[in-house]
Amino acid sequence: MNLIFKSALAGCVALIGLGPVSSYAQDGACTCATAYRGGANPIGSISGAKGDVMVSQSAGYGPAKPGSGLDFGSRVVVGAKGMASVNVGGCSLDVPANSSLDISRVENKICLNIVGSEQTAATDSSGTNKDLTPLLIFGGMAGAAGILAATQDDNNGVSR
């Protein structure tokens, strides 16, 4: 097989393998966004907590109490029989049962994002995960190897 054709085919396979991949991180809109003025640590606090409410801390999760400080990367998780209220910058939010609140920084803004229980577990009705990405990657690699093996020219004209 022609060396130029083989090189072009290998290049196409490499481009497909190194091409853009959909990202799992989502740039979803903030439930509430407020300006970040810098310097303040913590940037907010829990103003009320009832029932099953946990907040991320340096050593994992702990029970949320009114006055607990919140910073970038903090997560407030509310159980089935709970509710929490938070104040961060100009945002005052109630976090309902079976949801969580994530606090992040987007450029010069504080982004508070409430994620409900319907968004935290994406499974189909049979309870299996529908993420086929690893299978597709493996299949693509196996297909590329098959193409390269099929186009291998073992008749080396130089050694004859």
Side-chain angles (χ1 to χ4, degrees):
M1 184 178 272
N2 189 334
L3 180 62
I4 295 171
F5 179 72
K6 281 186 186 179
S7 298
L9 182 62
C12 288
V13 170
L15 284 175
I16 291 169
L18 298 174
V21 179
S22 63
S23 175
Y24 289 106
Q26 298 181 4
D27 298 330
C30 301
T31 303
C32 183
T34 185
Y36 175 59
R37 303 201 193 318
N41 197 6
I43 59 171
S45 65
I46 295 177
S47 57
K50 296 178 186 174
D52 302 326
V53 182
M54 304 292 277
V55 64
S56 60
Q57 300 171 339
S58 59
Y61 283 88
K65 300 176 207 145
S68 296
L70 299 172
D71 208 343
F72 294 114
S74 291
R75 175 176 276 181
V76 178
V77 180
V78 181
K81 296 180 181 179
M83 193 199 117
S85 299
V86 299
N87 291 319
V88 177
C91 294
S92 295
L93 290 175
D94 290 330
V95 185
N98 291 325
S99 61
S100 65
L101 171 75
D102 293 326
I103 302 173
S104 61
R105 182 174 177 178
V106 178
E107 295 175 3
N108 285 331
K109 293 187 178 187
I110 302 170
C111 177
L112 283 77
N113 192 16
I114 295 178
V115 180
S117 61
E118 70 280 356
Q119 295 174 335
T120 58
T123 59
D124 64 11
S125 59
S126 65
T128 60
N129 193 350
K130 286 188 171 185
D131 185 12
L132 299 176
T133 303
L135 181 62
L136 293 174
I137 291 172
F138 179 75
M141 290 175 16
I147 290 170
L148 290 175
T151 59
Q152 179 69 30
D153 186 9
D154 292 334
N155 295 332
N156 189 351
V158 175
S159 63
R160 286 185 186 185

